[in-house]
Amino acid sequence: SLVVHITGARPNFPKAAPVIDAIARLGGGEVRQRLVHTGQHYDEKMSDVFFRQLGLPEPDVNLGVGSGTHAAQTAAVMVGLENLFLEERPDVVVVYGDVNSTVAAALVAAKLQIPLAHVEAGLRSFDPTMPEEVNRLVTDRLSDVLLCTSADAVAHLGNEGVAPERIHLVGNPMIDTLLAHLDAFDVDAARAAHQLEGRYAVATLHRPANVDAGPDAQALVATLHAAADQVQVVLPLHPRGRATLEEAGLFKHPGILVCDPLGYVEFLGLVRGADVVITDSGGVQEETTVLGVPCLTLRPNTERPVTITHGTNRLVTREDLPRQVGIALAADRSTHKVPPLWDGQAGPRIAEVLVGAYA
Ligand code: UD1
Ligand code: UDP
């Protein structure tokens, strides 16, 4: 049988790696796997570095869709995948997370009546202004197998009328990848690379609501400067919004150390040694939860509430960020719990479901 995995954007890669590996182990010669890269992300630091560091196989196909409006990007992925699926006739298509490549693949698989499995199903921010929320709702509605990282996700799917036998609570494959590479996250190397002495914060920001042009970007820069008055802030900057934030004066504060996006191992080495993380990333909320690093999420909501109830995450407004940085710096690294099944075995659980159903 043939399993086709669809990836395309940075957060897809650490989710897909343990699933592909586990299916190869469990499926043996019975199951063929193909890895598609849509080309949604294409910079070496947004894509290739993950393939090298995470031991992912080379993609069998790169659709090379690149950047564009939502419609243009989603449509380009759909056209590319339709051709591919018609040729290859997969027994199951596996999609990851909530990016445009995810929803595009879901639409194509559903219309060709190819079984669809969604890894990270059921997460809900209930915020329709987020493009990712639209992608999650559509993808889950079309999926035959819904693989969930947390109990809240299972409950959302139940409330939406998804049949219970389609829903599987399997844990978090992104955390499989984190735990598998923990020994490589080298805080001393990160300090040396960024010439850091003493305490530091790490920031990652790329949500349209924070970084796209206009008053939001201005307000973001002002609050980051106020945070940098208290502690040096290393900011590996996502390409989205780089120009806007630079124009809004981000680079002017000497306590803000802007760099290019980092490789996975280098980034998490930096995060592991940080006193506090400031982010609007989905995955980083989860990774800081497991590493026990305080996380301040610059968003009004999160689709990952276990990072608050169990982990180290806290939602903050731009206005309150400087005060919250002060609180995080003054606090003891208190106790935190790792959410259930975030134990490094999500990949094998997902493989069991998929090989059982489709091999
Ligand atoms: C996408 C996802 C978002 C995810 C993020 C992870 C959607 C709708 N959004 O957002 O959910 O959190 O990836 O990083 O799918 N660019 C480059 N080089 C690249 C890729 C992008 O310069 O390799 C720039 C381009 O100017 C592009 C912009 O970043 O227009 C946005 O890229 P895009 O993939 O459309 O969305 P992201 O903001 O990266
Ligand atoms: N990440 C990375 N280098 C960076 C910033 C993030 O390797 O400079 C990793 C991060 O550790 C996580 C993934 O990228 O594994 C998260 O992707 P991103 O924040 O782009 O997307 P989101 O999770 O918000 O969809």
Side-chain angles (χ1 to χ4, degrees):
S1 61
L2 176 62
V3 181
V4 175
H5 303 267
I6 311 300
T7 61
R10 178 166 73 181
N12 295 153
F13 308 128
K15 295 169 193 173
V19 177
I20 294 170
D21 182 58
I23 292 176
R25 285 170 199 274
L26 188 67
E30 302 289 297
V31 180
R32 282 191 306 130
Q33 302 193 75
R34 298 267 276 158
L35 174 58
V36 177
H37 191 321
T38 65
Q40 175 171 347
H41 286 172
Y42 43 84
D43 289 348
E44 124 84 29
K45 287 286 161 44
M46 298 294 291
S47 173
D48 291 12
V49 67
F50 291 86
F51 285 79
R52 283 202 307 279
Q53 294 190 346
L54 303 184
L56 274 162
E58 280 280 298
D60 295 286
V61 184
N62 190 323
L63 300 177
V65 300
S67 304
T69 64
H70 284 275
Q73 189 176 60
T74 307
V77 176
M78 288 181 69
V79 172
L81 289 181
E82 189 175 54
N83 287 328
L84 188 83
F85 292 173
L86 284 170
E87 259 169 46
E88 306 238 334
R89 282 282 159 192
D91 293 285
V92 60
V93 169
V94 187
V95 296
Y96 297 86
D98 55 17
V99 301
N100 283 348
S101 299
T102 310
V103 71
L107 282 162
V108 175
K111 294 202 177 176
L112 293 176
Q113 298 176 39
I114 298 168
L116 176 67
H118 184 202
V119 172
E120 207 181 87
L123 296 186
R124 297 289 180 267
S125 66
F126 300 101
D127 178 352
T129 69
M130 286 182 80
E132 294 81 4
E133 186 71 358
V134 178
N135 294 346
R136 291 180 201 116
L137 286 165
V138 174
T139 303
D140 285 338
R141 187 71 187 78
L142 299 176
S143 292
D144 301 287
V145 179
L146 298 102
L147 300 149
C148 298
T149 54
S150 54
D152 56 289
V154 173
H156 295 147
L157 295 172
N159 293 340
E160 292 170 18
V162 178
E165 60 271 20
R166 294 184 172 201
I167 306 171
H168 304 268
L169 180 59
V170 291
N172 192 333
M174 199 165 206
I175 301 307
D176 290 21
T177 299
L178 180 96
L179 296 176
H181 292 84
L182 205 50
D183 291 346
F185 303 154
D186 184 339
V187 179
D188 293 335
R191 282 184 174 280
H194 299 273
Q195 299 175 355
L196 295 168
E197 277 167 29
R199 311 181 84 186
Y200 66 92
V202 175
T204 69
L205 296 153
H206 66 273
R207 294 280 156 224
N210 279 326
V211 307
D212 282 5
D216 287 333
Q218 295 282 350
L220 178 67
V221 168
T223 197
L224 289 175
H225 284 181
D229 289 340
Q230 304 174 64
V231 64
Q232 54 196 337
V233 180
V234 189
L235 176 45
L237 197 49
H238 189 286
R240 180 185 198 104
R242 187 180 173 106
T244 308
L245 294 178
E246 184 169 6
E247 201 170 305
L250 176 65
F251 296 25
K252 287 187 183 147
H253 193 298
I256 303 246
L257 311 172
V258 179
C259 60
D260 285 340
L262 294 172
Y264 179 79
V265 166
E266 290 78 12
F267 179 71
L268 285 163
L270 193 62
V271 166
R272 188 182 201 174
D275 288 282
V276 59
V277 167
I278 300 164
T279 196
D280 59 14
S281 159
V284 175
Q285 296 172 57
E286 298 181 339
E287 291 162 339
T288 48
T289 275
V290 174
L291 292 172
V293 176
C295 182
L296 302 175
T297 296
L298 265 173
R299 284 180 43 189
N301 50 58
T302 179
E303 61 289 328
R304 293 163 160 89
V306 291
T307 61
I308 297 175
T309 55
H310 292 64
T312 55
N313 191 21
R314 181 177 282 224
L315 299 179
V316 299
T317 61
R318 280 192 296 250
E319 294 67 33
D320 202 29
L321 178 74
R323 190 178 75 90
Q324 292 289 349
V325 167
I327 292 171
L329 292 173
D332 289 338
R333 285 267 182 116
S334 57
T335 50
H336 70 285
K337 289 191 298 252
V338 173
L341 302 183
W342 290 21
D343 58 357
Q345 296 302 314
R349 289 188 200 100
I350 292 169
E352 205 146 298
V353 173
L354 295 180
V355 172
Y358 299 108

